[in-house]
Amino acid sequence: AEVAGWRQEAVALAPGALLAVPVLEAAQRDARAKAVDVLDRAAALCPPEPAVFRERGRLLAQLGRTAAAKDDY
């Protein structure tokens, strides 16, 4: 689940935010990793579809896996 930058900053201003922001970032990382798993399966099952590889590359880059992301771009 992608959260807009301004919303994440708004969460940081809320009471108890010291824990909220890292939890939100962890949830985003987990969601991206799960999406990569789904796209891995889609790439294996479907004929080559550029959108699958482009999206997987974008997510891999956001996860810091740049070498794998470059393969998809």
Side-chain angles (χ1 to χ4, degrees):
E2 198 69 32
V3 176
W6 69 269
R7 288 186 182 181
Q8 190 167 347
E9 291 170 8
V11 168
L13 296 174
L18 289 177
L19 296 176
V21 172
V23 169
L24 179 61
E25 289 171 350
Q28 287 178 327
R29 238 184 346 269
D30 290 345
R32 288 182 183 120
K34 288 177 184 176
V36 167
D37 291 341
V38 170
L39 291 169
D40 285 343
R41 288 193 300 275
L45 295 173
C46 299
E49 174 59 44
V52 169
F53 294 100
R54 185 175 49 250
E55 182 63 14
R56 186 172 67 178
R58 185 184 71 80
L59 291 167
L60 288 167
Q62 290 177 342
L63 290 168
R65 296 170 52 190
T66 55
K70 287 179 185 178
D71 291 341
D72 281 350
Y73 284 121

